[in-house]
Amino acid sequence: MGPTGPTGPTDPAGPTPPDTAAQRPTPRAPEVAHAAPARKLATGRRGPADPVKSLMHRHRELCERAVDPLEIAAGLEAHGVTDRTAARYRHRDVFSLAEELFARVPAVAGEPVDASCTPARDIETRAAWSLRALLPGAACLATFVALRLTEGVLDGGARLAIGTGGGLLALIGLALALRTGPLCADGRSSGAAGLFGCWLLGYVLYGDALLHQVLSGGPEGPWDITPAPLLGLAVAVAPAAWCAHLFSVHAHRKLNGSRALEEFAAGVRPLLFAAVAFFLCVLGGLLYLAGLGIGSGGSPVGAAALGVLLLLARLLTVHGFPEPAATGLAAACAVEAAAPALVLAGRLPGLDALARPVDALVAAAGTGAVPAVACGAAALGLLTTATVALSRASAHTAA
């Protein structure tokens, strides 16, 4: 007979360990199950000597909602944590620090991420937003063809109605193109940015002729329009969508393959420059073809600068930086509006000096120099901003 204790026989195998199932962390989703072994990392770091514990509590919500360590790394970077900061937590970079946080913080069930604005991977989705991106160009082209066919057949009122209807269709098509796909800003775009964009597009159509009349002593009555650059810009919406898509896809691949923030930034900057350069080449060809089909008029250089400006503004807005995008558009609008205003103000007694900069610029390069300078300077500023902002890992992860 075995030994007995005060309350009865003693089990030779020892006391049964308590059930610890309730203490187990919530498992991650199946698609990130490959990261589950990482939860055994550094489990011995506990107590006051644990340097990661304070960071873990500070960013617990971020870590609980993350679906992979990359999302935690991007969130830490957005809060100012750099690779140098990670060294204070005994890690070589932010990515390895994020892996430990992902392993140590249990996940919680969250709302599914809306993938409507993420880079599309299936052919049907890419075809859908590609067709929507073609709508503005198709509407403008159909309108110009209708106006050309009805020239001398319909009166001015009917042709005005055709042009107005075509313009509204083009705006509706543009709105549809910006609601889904790689140009989708997911509600981050402001109404002011839309107004600035409409002003810039309107100046492409009417601005050069208006400035010419103001410089000639007018304005006097209606002035001619320059539709060719507007047609080129409308057709260029589809190439812009594809450039934004390719930039986003390759940036995500760089993020998955990078092990340091500096390495990722160095790999993303050439992608941005390549996307902008490729779009500029395509836009230049479209503007040339539009000029051949409709006729000369307007400033192709100014239209090309405007196209790059709009692309950069949209990229910044899509990736979470709508404020600098709106600022760049507003600056271009201000310069274009200031040109005729300064000429008119120069007619007042003693204020003729106000018109001299515009007179000198137009005398040197024509009225098209004003939108070229306005949009070109704004585009250069946004390119500088995008080089810094879009080279951050936090700009390429879903919120």
Side-chain angles (χ1 to χ4, degrees):
M1 178 178 297
T4 60
T7 59
T10 303
D11 189 357
T16 303
D19 185 10
T20 60
Q23 303 177 1
R24 296 175 184 172
T26 305
R28 292 277 175 180
E31 60 268 19
V32 293
H34 61 277
R39 292 207 169 272
K40 298 179 180 180
L41 293 176
T43 53
R45 289 185 181 179
R46 295 293 185 270
D50 184 3
V52 183
K53 193 171 184 179
S54 61
L55 190 69
M56 181 176 63
H57 288 295
R58 192 182 313 157
H59 301 284
R60 175 169 290 275
E61 183 177 357
L62 168 66
C63 299
E64 289 176 343
R65 299 292 181 182
V67 297
D68 55 32
L70 288 177
E71 190 171 343
I72 298 179
L76 293 176
E77 184 212 29
H79 286 86
V81 179
T82 64
D83 291 335
R84 183 175 299 180
T85 308
R88 299 204 301 263
Y89 297 97
R90 303 176 185 175
H91 284 272
R92 64 183 182 275
D93 51 45
V94 174
F95 288 87
S96 63
L97 176 61
E99 288 176 350
E100 179 174 347
L101 291 174
F102 182 79
R104 291 175 57 175
V105 178
V108 297
E111 297 180 358
V113 178
D114 183 9
S116 61
C117 295
T118 57
R121 295 182 180 179
D122 60 283
I123 297 177
E124 292 183 359
T125 304
R126 286 198 297 265
W129 58 252
S130 297
L131 290 176
R132 293 189 187 97
L134 291 173
L135 292 177
C140 286
L141 183 59
T143 302
F144 293 139
V145 170
L147 290 175
R148 181 65 61 87
L149 294 177
T150 57
E151 187 174 0
V153 178
L154 299 178
D155 57 4
R159 289 169 56 81
L160 178 61
I162 293 176
T164 303
L168 290 176
L169 288 177
L171 288 178
I172 294 174
L174 180 61
L176 292 175
L178 298 181
R179 289 187 62 181
T180 56
L183 296 180
C184 171
D186 198 18
R188 287 184 288 268
S189 180
S190 62
L195 292 177
F196 297 148
C198 291
W199 167 277
L200 294 171
L201 293 175
Y203 193 94
V204 170
L205 196 60
Y206 294 104
D208 287 352
L210 173 61
L211 183 58
H212 178 73
Q213 284 205 11
V214 171
L215 290 170
S216 302
E220 299 176 356
W223 52 86
D224 297 331
I225 63 175
T226 53
L230 185 62
L231 175 61
L233 288 170
V235 178
V237 174
W242 271 99
C243 288
H245 170 70
L246 294 176
F247 171 71
S248 181
V249 167
H250 288 285
H252 276 84
R253 291 177 181 174
K254 288 286 184 182
L255 182 60
N256 292 330
S258 299
R259 296 302 306 170
L261 297 178
E262 289 81 1
E263 177 187 352
F264 172 73
V268 168
R269 293 189 192 104
L271 294 177
L272 175 63
F273 297 148
V276 173
F278 178 74
F279 174 73
L280 182 59
C281 293
V282 174
L283 178 59
L286 292 175
L287 291 172
Y288 176 75
L289 293 176
L292 290 179
I294 298 180
S296 60
S299 172
V301 177
L306 173 58
V308 174
L309 172 63
L310 293 175
L311 174 65
L312 289 171
R314 199 63 188 180
L315 282 177
L316 286 170
T317 303
V318 167
H319 290 277
F321 302 94
E323 293 83 5
T327 301
L329 296 177
C333 291
V335 174
E336 290 184 347
L342 290 176
V343 174
L344 293 174
R347 298 176 183 176
L348 299 176
L351 298 180
D352 56 319
L354 294 177
R356 289 175 186 171
V358 181
D359 292 336
L361 182 61
V362 172
T367 56
V370 172
V373 171
C375 297
L380 184 60
L382 286 191
L383 180 60
T384 304
T385 303
T387 302
V388 177
L390 300 185
S391 61
R392 301 178 61 183
S394 54
H396 300 275
T397 55

